[in-house]
Amino acid sequence: MNDTELFSRSQHLIATCTQVGLSVAAAESLTGGRFVATLVDVPGASAVVRGGLITYATDLKASLAGVDADQLEDTGPIDEVVAAQMAAGAARECVADIGVACTGVAGPEPQDGKPVGLVYTAIAFAGKAQVSEHHFAGGRDTVRSLTVAAMVADLDDFVTQLAFGPAADAHD
């Protein structure tokens, strides 16, 4: 997705959330705040975006986002359960309707035995979380950019379906 497409999807996401009264918060690791920054580039984002947690360090995933410390000890930070707990924690801590999160390996080296490009993204809403596993190719900046694009696209699809039903996704 190029920058124009990313901005268009972000605009659609903000417009849909505004229309139905949904708020969003994020817990970001490898993207370091790029996801929230992408959303707030859209005029009117303040009606939707509550805030974000930058949990780049593993211990902050527990202390700021409420990820179970035992889970982090057992699996490390790059894990689907960690992503789900980060998303739920973002929604809880920022008092938002929807929490979004990402955790993964941007590179340049593997981390905790996990390959560069392995990323988990999650969306938490109404006590449930959906997690996606991604395997992105490319260098560090590419992996981070692709992660943000996936988060925007997935959340846009999620809120569109939530607001208008599963047949309403116009971005297929």
Side-chain angles (χ1 to χ4, degrees):
M1 176 179 326
N2 66 37
D3 288 346
T4 302
E5 293 167 333
L6 182 61
F7 186 75
S8 177
R9 288 298 297 262
S10 298
Q11 283 181 305
H12 185 265
L13 166 62
I14 296 298
T16 304
C17 286
T18 301
Q19 183 177 352
V20 296
L22 291 171
S23 59
V24 174
E28 297 181 66
S29 186
L30 73 148
T31 53
R34 279 193 193 183
F35 172 75
V36 170
T38 298
L39 295 186
V40 300
D41 280 344
V42 176
S46 62
V48 172
V49 179
R50 292 278 304 153
L53 309 171
I54 308 303
T55 57
Y56 199 67
T58 300
D59 62 308
L60 294 181
K61 290 171 178 61
S63 64
L64 294 180
V67 175
D68 184 303
D70 290 336
Q71 178 71 37
L72 286 167
E73 181 70 28
D74 290 346
T75 64
I78 298 124
D79 177 75
E80 61 187 317
V81 173
V82 170
Q85 290 182 5
M86 287 171 65
R92 181 181 60 252
E93 295 303 318
C94 295
V95 193
D97 299 309
I98 301 171
V100 185
C102 64
T103 185
V105 185
E109 300 297 325
Q111 180 183 338
D112 298 329
K114 307 288 174 75
V116 172
L118 174 62
V119 175
Y120 293 98
T121 58
I123 298 170
F125 176 75
K128 296 180 183 164
Q130 68 180 41
V131 179
S132 298
E133 180 177 315
H134 307 274
H135 297 271
F136 297 126
R140 181 176 174 75
D141 191 57
T142 299
V143 169
R144 295 175 73 219
S145 295
L146 290 170
T147 300
V148 170
M151 292 170 75
V152 169
D154 289 351
L155 185 58
D156 185 31
D157 291 345
F158 180 84
V159 299
T160 298
Q161 290 178 17
L162 194 62
F164 307 113
D169 184 12
H171 295 286
D172 283 337

